Amino acid sequence: MYYSKLKPFPPNFLWGASTSAYQVEGAYKEDGKGLSVQDLHLLNEHKMDFRDASDFYHHYKKDILMMKELGLKAYRFSISWSRVLPTGKGDLNKKGIEFYDKVVDLLIENQIEPVVTLYHFDLPLKIEKDGGWFNRQTINDFENYARILFEHFKGRVRYWLTINEQNAMVNHPGAVYPQGLTMPSKKELYQQSHNMFVAAAKVTKLCHELLPDAKIGPAPNITAIYPQSCNPEDVIAADNWETIRCWTYLDVAVYGKYNSLAWSYMKEKGIAPQIYPGDMDIIKNNKPDFIGVNYYATATVAQSHNDGTDVSARAGDQQVMLGEEGVYRSAENNYIKETEYGWKIDPVGLRTTLRRVYSRYNLPLLITENGIGAKDQLMNGQVKDDYRISYFKDHFYQAQLALTDGVELIGYCPWSFIDLVSTHQGFDKRYGFVYVDKNHDNRRIKKDSFYWYKDVIKSNGSKLKGS
C-alpha cells in the first residue's frame, strides 16, 4: 500500500538505543559481582572480551552524556542479575545495585527514559549449575530478583522487559551455553522455555501489583518468513517456520495458550514440555502491556524434501536458516541484499513483521533491537559508516510506513548505542553509533551515523523519505 502522505512519528516517540549488560559493562568480577554463564566464554584478544567489554561500568557518566548529546529519548539496557545478586539469590550486593542507581538516576536527570531488561542471556552461574531454567526453583529465584528491582526502582523505571529473545535461546542455545557448560537436549530446551513463560508471567503479575503505572512485556526475536515461491508447499513451510519459531512464543505470552500447530510439532518430535498444575492459569491471567520486537532480517524457506537434505549451513552468525528435516529448508531470496557477514538486509521486512505482529496481538510495539554489524574502520580519528546511515534511513522509513498502516509503534531502539562485544565476532563486528577504541583505553569516538541519528531524533523523523 502506498500513501501520498505518511503519518508522522508521535511527539512522545521513544527514539532510543539498546545494549545488554554482559556486552558493554565489563568489570566482570568487580565490586562483588558474581559470575554469569557469559563469563565462561573463551576470551580472544581481538574478538571475545566480555571481561572488559566496552567498560561501560567505568565510563557510564560520559556515555550517558553522549546519549544526551545524541538526543536519545530512551535507553534500553539490561541489569546483570549476578551483579545485583552474585549467586542469583541470597544477599543483595549493595555496590551492584548502587551502580544501577547511578545509571538510572543519570538517565532520568538527562530526560532519557530507562527501558530495563530483567534477563538478557546472562544467567547467574550458580543458578545454572543448580539446573538453570530447567529447575523450577529458578522461576521463584527470578521472581524474587524482579521483586527486588521493582521495589528498588519504583517511580523511576516505567518500562520493563522480562526476557530477551526467549525463542533464540531455544533455537540457538550456543549463545547462552559457552564452553564448560553442557548443551541441553532439545526437549530440555523446550522445558526451559516453558518455565520461562511461567517466570515471565509471575513477574508480569508482580509488576502490575507493585508498579501500577509501569509497563512490562517480552522481547522475542521476531521476523516475517517468506515462501520461496507460490507453491502451496512452500507457503506451508513458511507458516511452519514462522509459527514454531516466532508465533508460539508470543501466543503463550499474550493468549495464555500454546499455538496448536507448534504443540503438534512438539508432540510429534517428542519435545513437548511438562505443564504443571496452575502454569497456564498464571500465564493466561497476566498479559503483557506491550511487545518488544527484536528484528534484524527476514528469512526465506521452501518445502521440506524430507530426504536428509533439509538442514543446510547457517547463513550469517545469527541467521536462523538451518532448516529442519520434514519441517522446512532454507532457500535463497534474490530480492534481498546481505551484509559482509551474510545477514540479510530487508527494510520492507521490518514493516511486514510489525504489521503481522500488531495484527495478531493488537498490543503496542517497541522495536527493542535492530541494526547492522560491520567492520567499522577508525581512520584519522573518524568512522565513516555511510552503510549504517543508509541501513537505518531505509528501516526508519519502513517503520513510519508501518505507523501509517495503523501499527501502534511507541519507539525504536537500534542495536546499539555503543560498540559492544558481539556474541560471535566480538569487536571485529561493530554495531554502535559510538566507536570504542580498544587500543586506547576504550576511548569513545562518535561515528558519522551518530550525527545523522541526532538530526533524525531532533526532527522526530520528519526528514526521512516521504515524510
Side-chain angles (χ1 to χ4, degrees), residues 33-41 80-83 85-89 119 121-132 176-182:
K33 179 187 175 295
L35 294 179
S36 81
V37 296
Q38 296 297 339
D39 295 318
L40 296 189
H41 273 291
S80 168
W81 188 346
S82 58
R83 194 179 294 283
L85 295 168
T87 64
K89 60 186 76 179
Y119 174 61
F121 294 174
D122 53 352
L123 195 67
L125 185 57
K126 178 62 168 63
I127 286 184
E128 175 58 37
K129 289 185 174 180
D130 288 341
V176 289
Y177 283 92
Q179 299 82 0
L181 295 179
T182 302

PDB file of all heavy atoms in Angstrom, residues 33-41 80-83 85-89 119 121-132 176-182:
ATOM      1  N   LYS A  33      30.463  -8.446  42.105  1.00  0.00           N
ATOM      2  CA  LYS A  33      29.653  -9.129  41.095  1.00  0.00           C
ATOM      3  C   LYS A  33      30.000 -10.618  41.054  1.00  0.00           C
ATOM      4  O   LYS A  33      31.160 -11.003  41.091  1.00  0.00           O
ATOM      5  CB  LYS A  33      29.884  -8.533  39.704  1.00  0.00           C
ATOM      6  CG  LYS A  33      29.074  -9.223  38.606  1.00  0.00           C
ATOM      7  CD  LYS A  33      29.448  -8.723  37.222  1.00  0.00           C
ATOM      8  CE  LYS A  33      28.722  -9.509  36.146  1.00  0.00           C
ATOM      9  NZ  LYS A  33      29.117 -10.921  36.097  1.00  0.00           N
ATOM     10  N   GLY A  34      28.983 -11.455  40.948  1.00  0.00           N
ATOM     11  CA  GLY A  34      29.192 -12.881  40.770  1.00  0.00           C
ATOM     12  C   GLY A  34      29.328 -13.223  39.299  1.00  0.00           C
ATOM     13  O   GLY A  34      29.056 -12.399  38.421  1.00  0.00           O
ATOM     14  N   LEU A  35      29.738 -14.451  39.019  1.00  0.00           N
ATOM     15  CA  LEU A  35      29.891 -14.883  37.633  1.00  0.00           C
ATOM     16  C   LEU A  35      28.538 -15.238  37.021  1.00  0.00           C
ATOM     17  O   LEU A  35      27.654 -15.754  37.693  1.00  0.00           O
ATOM     18  CB  LEU A  35      30.810 -16.097  37.562  1.00  0.00           C
ATOM     19  CG  LEU A  35      32.275 -15.876  37.954  1.00  0.00           C
ATOM     20  CD1 LEU A  35      33.046 -17.187  37.850  1.00  0.00           C
ATOM     21  CD2 LEU A  35      32.925 -14.812  37.083  1.00  0.00           C
ATOM     22  N   SER A  36      28.418 -14.971  35.735  1.00  0.00           N
ATOM     23  CA  SER A  36      27.265 -15.425  34.965  1.00  0.00           C
ATOM     24  C   SER A  36      27.757 -16.437  33.942  1.00  0.00           C
ATOM     25  O   SER A  36      28.968 -16.615  33.748  1.00  0.00           O
ATOM     26  CB  SER A  36      26.574 -14.249  34.259  1.00  0.00           C
ATOM     27  OG  SER A  36      27.254 -13.922  33.056  1.00  0.00           O
ATOM     28  N   VAL A  37      26.831 -17.080  33.252  1.00  0.00           N
ATOM     29  CA  VAL A  37      27.237 -18.054  32.239  1.00  0.00           C
ATOM     30  C   VAL A  37      28.073 -17.408  31.148  1.00  0.00           C
ATOM     31  O   VAL A  37      28.946 -18.044  30.547  1.00  0.00           O
ATOM     32  CB  VAL A  37      26.008 -18.755  31.614  1.00  0.00           C
ATOM     33  CG1 VAL A  37      25.262 -19.585  32.651  1.00  0.00           C
ATOM     34  CG2 VAL A  37      25.065 -17.749  30.950  1.00  0.00           C
ATOM     35  N   GLN A  38      27.839 -16.129  30.879  1.00  0.00           N
ATOM     36  CA  GLN A  38      28.576 -15.451  29.823  1.00  0.00           C
ATOM     37  C   GLN A  38      30.049 -15.267  30.167  1.00  0.00           C
ATOM     38  O   GLN A  38      30.889 -15.126  29.269  1.00  0.00           O
ATOM     39  CB  GLN A  38      27.929 -14.091  29.522  1.00  0.00           C
ATOM     40  CG  GLN A  38      26.520 -14.173  28.976  1.00  0.00           C
ATOM     41  CD  GLN A  38      26.452 -14.888  27.640  1.00  0.00           C
ATOM     42  OE1 GLN A  38      27.436 -15.001  26.915  1.00  0.00           O
ATOM     43  NE2 GLN A  38      25.271 -15.387  27.295  1.00  0.00           N
ATOM     44  N   ASP A  39      30.377 -15.265  31.443  1.00  0.00           N
ATOM     45  CA  ASP A  39      31.772 -15.083  31.855  1.00  0.00           C
ATOM     46  C   ASP A  39      32.618 -16.318  31.565  1.00  0.00           C
ATOM     47  O   ASP A  39      33.846 -16.276  31.739  1.00  0.00           O
ATOM     48  CB  ASP A  39      31.844 -14.733  33.339  1.00  0.00           C
ATOM     49  CG  ASP A  39      31.189 -13.390  33.645  1.00  0.00           C
ATOM     50  OD1 ASP A  39      31.401 -12.453  32.863  1.00  0.00           O
ATOM     51  OD2 ASP A  39      30.458 -13.293  34.645  1.00  0.00           O
ATOM     52  N   LEU A  40      31.997 -17.412  31.116  1.00  0.00           N
ATOM     53  CA  LEU A  40      32.744 -18.618  30.782  1.00  0.00           C
ATOM     54  C   LEU A  40      33.211 -18.647  29.336  1.00  0.00           C
ATOM     55  O   LEU A  40      33.984 -19.531  28.954  1.00  0.00           O
ATOM     56  CB  LEU A  40      31.883 -19.858  31.045  1.00  0.00           C
ATOM     57  CG  LEU A  40      31.464 -20.136  32.497  1.00  0.00           C
ATOM     58  CD1 LEU A  40      30.808 -21.503  32.575  1.00  0.00           C
ATOM     59  CD2 LEU A  40      32.640 -20.060  33.447  1.00  0.00           C
ATOM     60  N   HIS A  41      32.749 -17.708  28.520  1.00  0.00           N
ATOM     61  CA  HIS A  41      33.176 -17.684  27.123  1.00  0.00           C
ATOM     62  C   HIS A  41      34.691 -17.565  27.051  1.00  0.00           C
ATOM     63  O   HIS A  41      35.299 -16.749  27.759  1.00  0.00           O
ATOM     64  CB  HIS A  41      32.540 -16.503  26.385  1.00  0.00           C
ATOM     65  CG  HIS A  41      31.193 -16.797  25.825  1.00  0.00           C
ATOM     66  ND1 HIS A  41      30.990 -17.671  24.772  1.00  0.00           N
ATOM     67  CD2 HIS A  41      29.964 -16.330  26.160  1.00  0.00           C
ATOM     68  CE1 HIS A  41      29.701 -17.722  24.490  1.00  0.00           C
ATOM     69  NE2 HIS A  41      29.052 -16.923  25.313  1.00  0.00           N
ATOM     70  N   SER A  80      22.423  -6.799  35.124  1.00  0.00           N
ATOM     71  CA  SER A  80      23.082  -8.077  35.352  1.00  0.00           C
ATOM     72  C   SER A  80      22.572  -8.682  36.646  1.00  0.00           C
ATOM     73  O   SER A  80      22.817  -8.154  37.731  1.00  0.00           O
ATOM     74  CB  SER A  80      24.604  -7.876  35.423  1.00  0.00           C
ATOM     75  OG  SER A  80      25.231  -9.041  35.901  1.00  0.00           O
ATOM     76  N   TRP A  81      21.866  -9.789  36.516  1.00  0.00           N
ATOM     77  CA  TRP A  81      21.314 -10.490  37.688  1.00  0.00           C
ATOM     78  C   TRP A  81      22.425 -10.795  38.695  1.00  0.00           C
ATOM     79  O   TRP A  81      22.266 -10.591  39.901  1.00  0.00           O
ATOM     80  CB  TRP A  81      20.638 -11.765  37.189  1.00  0.00           C
ATOM     81  CG  TRP A  81      19.848 -12.565  38.165  1.00  0.00           C
ATOM     82  CD1 TRP A  81      19.836 -12.467  39.527  1.00  0.00           C
ATOM     83  CD2 TRP A  81      18.921 -13.626  37.842  1.00  0.00           C
ATOM     84  NE1 TRP A  81      18.983 -13.387  40.079  1.00  0.00           N
ATOM     85  CE2 TRP A  81      18.403 -14.110  39.071  1.00  0.00           C
ATOM     86  CE3 TRP A  81      18.496 -14.200  36.651  1.00  0.00           C
ATOM     87  CZ2 TRP A  81      17.479 -15.160  39.107  1.00  0.00           C
ATOM     88  CZ3 TRP A  81      17.571 -15.240  36.684  1.00  0.00           C
ATOM     89  CH2 TRP A  81      17.069 -15.707  37.916  1.00  0.00           C
ATOM     90  N   SER A  82      23.584 -11.248  38.201  1.00  0.00           N
ATOM     91  CA  SER A  82      24.663 -11.638  39.109  1.00  0.00           C
ATOM     92  C   SER A  82      25.450 -10.446  39.653  1.00  0.00           C
ATOM     93  O   SER A  82      26.271 -10.617  40.556  1.00  0.00           O
ATOM     94  CB  SER A  82      25.617 -12.613  38.421  1.00  0.00           C
ATOM     95  OG  SER A  82      26.168 -12.056  37.255  1.00  0.00           O
ATOM     96  N   ARG A  83      25.210  -9.243  39.131  1.00  0.00           N
ATOM     97  CA  ARG A  83      25.808  -8.065  39.757  1.00  0.00           C
ATOM     98  C   ARG A  83      24.966  -7.626  40.950  1.00  0.00           C
ATOM     99  O   ARG A  83      25.485  -7.097  41.937  1.00  0.00           O
ATOM    100  CB  ARG A  83      25.949  -6.912  38.753  1.00  0.00           C
ATOM    101  CG  ARG A  83      26.877  -5.799  39.258  1.00  0.00           C
ATOM    102  CD  ARG A  83      27.046  -4.676  38.258  1.00  0.00           C
ATOM    103  NE  ARG A  83      27.732  -5.038  37.038  1.00  0.00           N
ATOM    104  CZ  ARG A  83      29.049  -5.193  36.934  1.00  0.00           C
ATOM    105  NH1 ARG A  83      29.831  -5.030  37.996  1.00  0.00           N
ATOM    106  NH2 ARG A  83      29.582  -5.509  35.776  1.00  0.00           N
ATOM    107  N   LEU A  85      22.647  -9.833  42.560  1.00  0.00           N
ATOM    108  CA  LEU A  85      22.639 -10.998  43.456  1.00  0.00           C
ATOM    109  C   LEU A  85      23.732 -11.943  42.949  1.00  0.00           C
ATOM    110  O   LEU A  85      23.516 -12.681  41.990  1.00  0.00           O
ATOM    111  CB  LEU A  85      21.276 -11.691  43.427  1.00  0.00           C
ATOM    112  CG  LEU A  85      20.085 -10.887  43.964  1.00  0.00           C
ATOM    113  CD1 LEU A  85      18.771 -11.584  43.611  1.00  0.00           C
ATOM    114  CD2 LEU A  85      20.187 -10.694  45.457  1.00  0.00           C
ATOM    115  N   PRO A  86      24.909 -11.904  43.531  1.00  0.00           N
ATOM    116  CA  PRO A  86      26.070 -12.627  42.975  1.00  0.00           C
ATOM    117  C   PRO A  86      25.838 -14.098  42.676  1.00  0.00           C
ATOM    118  O   PRO A  86      26.405 -14.623  41.711  1.00  0.00           O
ATOM    119  CB  PRO A  86      27.137 -12.425  44.058  1.00  0.00           C
ATOM    120  CG  PRO A  86      26.778 -11.115  44.689  1.00  0.00           C
ATOM    121  CD  PRO A  86      25.278 -11.079  44.696  1.00  0.00           C
ATOM    122  N   THR A  87      25.006 -14.781  43.457  1.00  0.00           N
ATOM    123  CA  THR A  87      24.711 -16.190  43.175  1.00  0.00           C
ATOM    124  C   THR A  87      23.300 -16.363  42.604  1.00  0.00           C
ATOM    125  O   THR A  87      22.825 -17.485  42.456  1.00  0.00           O
ATOM    126  CB  THR A  87      24.849 -17.048  44.444  1.00  0.00           C
ATOM    127  OG1 THR A  87      23.874 -16.625  45.406  1.00  0.00           O
ATOM    128  CG2 THR A  87      26.243 -16.938  45.036  1.00  0.00           C
ATOM    129  N   GLY A  88      22.644 -15.250  42.323  1.00  0.00           N
ATOM    130  CA  GLY A  88      21.292 -15.298  41.788  1.00  0.00           C
ATOM    131  C   GLY A  88      20.212 -15.293  42.846  1.00  0.00           C
ATOM    132  O   GLY A  88      19.032 -15.178  42.547  1.00  0.00           O
ATOM    133  N   LYS A  89      20.620 -15.415  44.102  1.00  0.00           N
ATOM    134  CA  LYS A  89      19.686 -15.423  45.227  1.00  0.00           C
ATOM    135  C   LYS A  89      20.464 -14.991  46.469  1.00  0.00           C
ATOM    136  O   LYS A  89      21.664 -14.750  46.413  1.00  0.00           O
ATOM    137  CB  LYS A  89      19.085 -16.810  45.408  1.00  0.00           C
ATOM    138  CG  LYS A  89      20.097 -17.906  45.683  1.00  0.00           C
ATOM    139  CD  LYS A  89      19.466 -19.293  45.712  1.00  0.00           C
ATOM    140  CE  LYS A  89      19.155 -19.800  44.336  1.00  0.00           C
ATOM    141  NZ  LYS A  89      18.567 -21.161  44.328  1.00  0.00           N
ATOM    142  N   TYR A 119      16.355  -9.927  32.083  1.00  0.00           N
ATOM    143  CA  TYR A 119      17.230 -11.063  31.806  1.00  0.00           C
ATOM    144  C   TYR A 119      17.617 -11.081  30.336  1.00  0.00           C
ATOM    145  O   TYR A 119      16.765 -11.192  29.459  1.00  0.00           O
ATOM    146  CB  TYR A 119      16.549 -12.375  32.188  1.00  0.00           C
ATOM    147  CG  TYR A 119      17.336 -13.603  31.788  1.00  0.00           C
ATOM    148  CD1 TYR A 119      18.607 -13.838  32.303  1.00  0.00           C
ATOM    149  CD2 TYR A 119      16.809 -14.519  30.889  1.00  0.00           C
ATOM    150  CE1 TYR A 119      19.335 -14.959  31.920  1.00  0.00           C
ATOM    151  CE2 TYR A 119      17.523 -15.649  30.512  1.00  0.00           C
ATOM    152  CZ  TYR A 119      18.792 -15.857  31.029  1.00  0.00           C
ATOM    153  OH  TYR A 119      19.506 -16.955  30.643  1.00  0.00           O
ATOM    154  N   PHE A 121      20.300 -13.184  28.559  1.00  0.00           N
ATOM    155  CA  PHE A 121      21.268 -14.250  28.271  1.00  0.00           C
ATOM    156  C   PHE A 121      22.302 -14.509  29.367  1.00  0.00           C
ATOM    157  O   PHE A 121      23.196 -15.339  29.161  1.00  0.00           O
ATOM    158  CB  PHE A 121      22.050 -13.966  26.978  1.00  0.00           C
ATOM    159  CG  PHE A 121      21.237 -13.980  25.718  1.00  0.00           C
ATOM    160  CD1 PHE A 121      21.819 -13.617  24.516  1.00  0.00           C
ATOM    161  CD2 PHE A 121      19.904 -14.360  25.705  1.00  0.00           C
ATOM    162  CE1 PHE A 121      21.092 -13.628  23.332  1.00  0.00           C
ATOM    163  CE2 PHE A 121      19.171 -14.374  24.532  1.00  0.00           C
ATOM    164  CZ  PHE A 121      19.771 -14.000  23.344  1.00  0.00           C
ATOM    165  N   ASP A 122      22.273 -13.798  30.487  1.00  0.00           N
ATOM    166  CA  ASP A 122      23.389 -13.913  31.450  1.00  0.00           C
ATOM    167  C   ASP A 122      22.919 -14.466  32.794  1.00  0.00           C
ATOM    168  O   ASP A 122      23.000 -13.805  33.822  1.00  0.00           O
ATOM    169  CB  ASP A 122      24.096 -12.563  31.634  1.00  0.00           C
ATOM    170  CG  ASP A 122      23.151 -11.423  32.000  1.00  0.00           C
ATOM    171  OD1 ASP A 122      21.918 -11.635  31.972  1.00  0.00           O
ATOM    172  OD2 ASP A 122      23.644 -10.330  32.309  1.00  0.00           O
ATOM    173  N   LEU A 123      22.459 -15.712  32.768  1.00  0.00           N
ATOM    174  CA  LEU A 123      22.005 -16.367  33.989  1.00  0.00           C
ATOM    175  C   LEU A 123      23.166 -16.481  34.982  1.00  0.00           C
ATOM    176  O   LEU A 123      24.285 -16.831  34.596  1.00  0.00           O
ATOM    177  CB  LEU A 123      21.483 -17.758  33.658  1.00  0.00           C
ATOM    178  CG  LEU A 123      20.655 -18.461  34.738  1.00  0.00           C
ATOM    179  CD1 LEU A 123      19.338 -17.737  34.959  1.00  0.00           C
ATOM    180  CD2 LEU A 123      20.402 -19.923  34.337  1.00  0.00           C
ATOM    181  N   PRO A 124      22.930 -16.183  36.253  1.00  0.00           N
ATOM    182  CA  PRO A 124      23.991 -16.380  37.252  1.00  0.00           C
ATOM    183  C   PRO A 124      24.525 -17.811  37.186  1.00  0.00           C
ATOM    184  O   PRO A 124      23.753 -18.779  37.099  1.00  0.00           O
ATOM    185  CB  PRO A 124      23.283 -16.094  38.576  1.00  0.00           C
ATOM    186  CG  PRO A 124      22.207 -15.118  38.220  1.00  0.00           C
ATOM    187  CD  PRO A 124      21.723 -15.574  36.862  1.00  0.00           C
ATOM    188  N   LEU A 125      25.831 -17.959  37.233  1.00  0.00           N
ATOM    189  CA  LEU A 125      26.452 -19.265  37.055  1.00  0.00           C
ATOM    190  C   LEU A 125      26.006 -20.258  38.123  1.00  0.00           C
ATOM    191  O   LEU A 125      25.798 -21.441  37.838  1.00  0.00           O
ATOM    192  CB  LEU A 125      27.976 -19.116  37.070  1.00  0.00           C
ATOM    193  CG  LEU A 125      28.780 -20.378  36.780  1.00  0.00           C
ATOM    194  CD1 LEU A 125      28.407 -20.975  35.437  1.00  0.00           C
ATOM    195  CD2 LEU A 125      30.274 -20.065  36.833  1.00  0.00           C
ATOM    196  N   LYS A 126      25.838 -19.796  39.350  1.00  0.00           N
ATOM    197  CA  LYS A 126      25.408 -20.682  40.435  1.00  0.00           C
ATOM    198  C   LYS A 126      24.029 -21.268  40.131  1.00  0.00           C
ATOM    199  O   LYS A 126      23.779 -22.466  40.354  1.00  0.00           O
ATOM    200  CB  LYS A 126      25.367 -19.920  41.761  1.00  0.00           C
ATOM    201  CG  LYS A 126      24.885 -20.754  42.958  1.00  0.00           C
ATOM    202  CD  LYS A 126      25.802 -21.938  43.249  1.00  0.00           C
ATOM    203  CE  LYS A 126      25.503 -22.579  44.596  1.00  0.00           C
ATOM    204  NZ  LYS A 126      24.151 -23.145  44.681  1.00  0.00           N
ATOM    205  N   ILE A 127      23.123 -20.451  39.604  1.00  0.00           N
ATOM    206  CA  ILE A 127      21.790 -20.948  39.265  1.00  0.00           C
ATOM    207  C   ILE A 127      21.879 -21.945  38.113  1.00  0.00           C
ATOM    208  O   ILE A 127      21.195 -22.972  38.112  1.00  0.00           O
ATOM    209  CB  ILE A 127      20.846 -19.774  38.936  1.00  0.00           C
ATOM    210  CG1 ILE A 127      20.466 -19.040  40.227  1.00  0.00           C
ATOM    211  CG2 ILE A 127      19.601 -20.252  38.204  1.00  0.00           C
ATOM    212  CD1 ILE A 127      19.473 -17.933  40.051  1.00  0.00           C
ATOM    213  N   GLU A 128      22.730 -21.664  37.137  1.00  0.00           N
ATOM    214  CA  GLU A 128      22.899 -22.597  36.024  1.00  0.00           C
ATOM    215  C   GLU A 128      23.414 -23.938  36.525  1.00  0.00           C
ATOM    216  O   GLU A 128      22.936 -25.005  36.110  1.00  0.00           O
ATOM    217  CB  GLU A 128      23.861 -22.010  34.988  1.00  0.00           C
ATOM    218  CG  GLU A 128      24.212 -22.953  33.849  1.00  0.00           C
ATOM    219  CD  GLU A 128      23.002 -23.441  33.073  1.00  0.00           C
ATOM    220  OE1 GLU A 128      22.052 -22.654  32.868  1.00  0.00           O
ATOM    221  OE2 GLU A 128      22.994 -24.630  32.685  1.00  0.00           O
ATOM    222  N   LYS A 129      24.368 -23.925  37.431  1.00  0.00           N
ATOM    223  CA  LYS A 129      24.928 -25.174  37.958  1.00  0.00           C
ATOM    224  C   LYS A 129      23.916 -25.936  38.808  1.00  0.00           C
ATOM    225  O   LYS A 129      24.038 -27.150  38.993  1.00  0.00           O
ATOM    226  CB  LYS A 129      26.188 -24.880  38.749  1.00  0.00           C
ATOM    227  CG  LYS A 129      27.363 -24.461  37.857  1.00  0.00           C
ATOM    228  CD  LYS A 129      28.649 -24.289  38.637  1.00  0.00           C
ATOM    229  CE  LYS A 129      29.821 -24.012  37.712  1.00  0.00           C
ATOM    230  NZ  LYS A 129      31.094 -23.848  38.454  1.00  0.00           N
ATOM    231  N   ASP A 130      22.914 -25.225  39.315  1.00  0.00           N
ATOM    232  CA  ASP A 130      21.852 -25.873  40.075  1.00  0.00           C
ATOM    233  C   ASP A 130      20.698 -26.346  39.187  1.00  0.00           C
ATOM    234  O   ASP A 130      19.646 -26.751  39.686  1.00  0.00           O
ATOM    235  CB  ASP A 130      21.303 -24.919  41.147  1.00  0.00           C
ATOM    236  CG  ASP A 130      22.282 -24.707  42.288  1.00  0.00           C
ATOM    237  OD1 ASP A 130      23.190 -25.539  42.448  1.00  0.00           O
ATOM    238  OD2 ASP A 130      22.140 -23.698  43.013  1.00  0.00           O
ATOM    239  N   GLY A 131      20.899 -26.281  37.881  1.00  0.00           N
ATOM    240  CA  GLY A 131      19.871 -26.751  36.948  1.00  0.00           C
ATOM    241  C   GLY A 131      19.345 -25.702  36.001  1.00  0.00           C
ATOM    242  O   GLY A 131      18.601 -26.015  35.069  1.00  0.00           O
ATOM    243  N   GLY A 132      19.687 -24.430  36.250  1.00  0.00           N
ATOM    244  CA  GLY A 132      19.268 -23.359  35.353  1.00  0.00           C
ATOM    245  C   GLY A 132      17.766 -23.277  35.194  1.00  0.00           C
ATOM    246  O   GLY A 132      16.993 -23.570  36.117  1.00  0.00           O
ATOM    247  N   VAL A 176      23.950 -18.977  24.873  1.00  0.00           N
ATOM    248  CA  VAL A 176      23.880 -18.942  26.339  1.00  0.00           C
ATOM    249  C   VAL A 176      24.528 -20.160  26.984  1.00  0.00           C
ATOM    250  O   VAL A 176      24.484 -20.317  28.200  1.00  0.00           O
ATOM    251  CB  VAL A 176      22.417 -18.813  26.826  1.00  0.00           C
ATOM    252  CG1 VAL A 176      21.882 -17.434  26.528  1.00  0.00           C
ATOM    253  CG2 VAL A 176      21.523 -19.868  26.195  1.00  0.00           C
ATOM    254  N   TYR A 177      25.134 -21.002  26.164  1.00  0.00           N
ATOM    255  CA  TYR A 177      25.840 -22.168  26.704  1.00  0.00           C
ATOM    256  C   TYR A 177      27.278 -22.187  26.174  1.00  0.00           C
ATOM    257  O   TYR A 177      27.599 -22.881  25.215  1.00  0.00           O
ATOM    258  CB  TYR A 177      25.113 -23.467  26.354  1.00  0.00           C
ATOM    259  CG  TYR A 177      23.910 -23.685  27.228  1.00  0.00           C
ATOM    260  CD1 TYR A 177      22.659 -23.239  26.833  1.00  0.00           C
ATOM    261  CD2 TYR A 177      24.044 -24.283  28.475  1.00  0.00           C
ATOM    262  CE1 TYR A 177      21.551 -23.394  27.653  1.00  0.00           C
ATOM    263  CE2 TYR A 177      22.946 -24.444  29.306  1.00  0.00           C
ATOM    264  CZ  TYR A 177      21.709 -24.000  28.892  1.00  0.00           C
ATOM    265  OH  TYR A 177      20.613 -24.150  29.717  1.00  0.00           O
ATOM    266  N   PRO A 178      28.126 -21.368  26.776  1.00  0.00           N
ATOM    267  CA  PRO A 178      29.518 -21.304  26.328  1.00  0.00           C
ATOM    268  C   PRO A 178      30.318 -22.524  26.768  1.00  0.00           C
ATOM    269  O   PRO A 178      29.756 -23.486  27.334  1.00  0.00           O
ATOM    270  CB  PRO A 178      30.031 -20.031  27.008  1.00  0.00           C
ATOM    271  CG  PRO A 178      29.213 -19.927  28.250  1.00  0.00           C
ATOM    272  CD  PRO A 178      27.854 -20.456  27.881  1.00  0.00           C
ATOM    273  N   GLN A 179      31.616 -22.475  26.534  1.00  0.00           N
ATOM    274  CA  GLN A 179      32.496 -23.572  26.892  1.00  0.00           C
ATOM    275  C   GLN A 179      32.389 -23.884  28.392  1.00  0.00           C
ATOM    276  O   GLN A 179      32.287 -22.984  29.216  1.00  0.00           O
ATOM    277  CB  GLN A 179      33.941 -23.196  26.552  1.00  0.00           C
ATOM    278  CG  GLN A 179      34.179 -22.919  25.068  1.00  0.00           C
ATOM    279  CD  GLN A 179      33.786 -21.513  24.649  1.00  0.00           C
ATOM    280  OE1 GLN A 179      33.326 -20.723  25.459  1.00  0.00           O
ATOM    281  NE2 GLN A 179      33.975 -21.214  23.378  1.00  0.00           N
ATOM    282  N   GLY A 180      32.402 -25.162  28.696  1.00  0.00           N
ATOM    283  CA  GLY A 180      32.355 -25.571  30.099  1.00  0.00           C
ATOM    284  C   GLY A 180      30.975 -25.927  30.585  1.00  0.00           C
ATOM    285  O   GLY A 180      30.822 -26.467  31.688  1.00  0.00           O
ATOM    286  N   LEU A 181      29.939 -25.634  29.795  1.00  0.00           N
ATOM    287  CA  LEU A 181      28.569 -25.967  30.175  1.00  0.00           C
ATOM    288  C   LEU A 181      28.020 -27.017  29.209  1.00  0.00           C
ATOM    289  O   LEU A 181      28.303 -26.988  28.009  1.00  0.00           O
ATOM    290  CB  LEU A 181      27.673 -24.730  30.155  1.00  0.00           C
ATOM    291  CG  LEU A 181      28.002 -23.629  31.179  1.00  0.00           C
ATOM    292  CD1 LEU A 181      27.041 -22.459  31.010  1.00  0.00           C
ATOM    293  CD2 LEU A 181      27.938 -24.165  32.592  1.00  0.00           C
ATOM    294  N   THR A 182      27.221 -27.928  29.725  1.00  0.00           N
ATOM    295  CA  THR A 182      26.641 -28.987  28.909  1.00  0.00           C
ATOM    296  C   THR A 182      25.441 -28.464  28.131  1.00  0.00           C
ATOM    297  O   THR A 182      24.523 -27.874  28.717  1.00  0.00           O
ATOM    298  CB  THR A 182      26.197 -30.168  29.792  1.00  0.00           C
ATOM    299  OG1 THR A 182      27.332 -30.649  30.517  1.00  0.00           O
ATOM    300  CG2 THR A 182      25.615 -31.281  28.945  1.00  0.00           C
TER     301      THR A 182
END
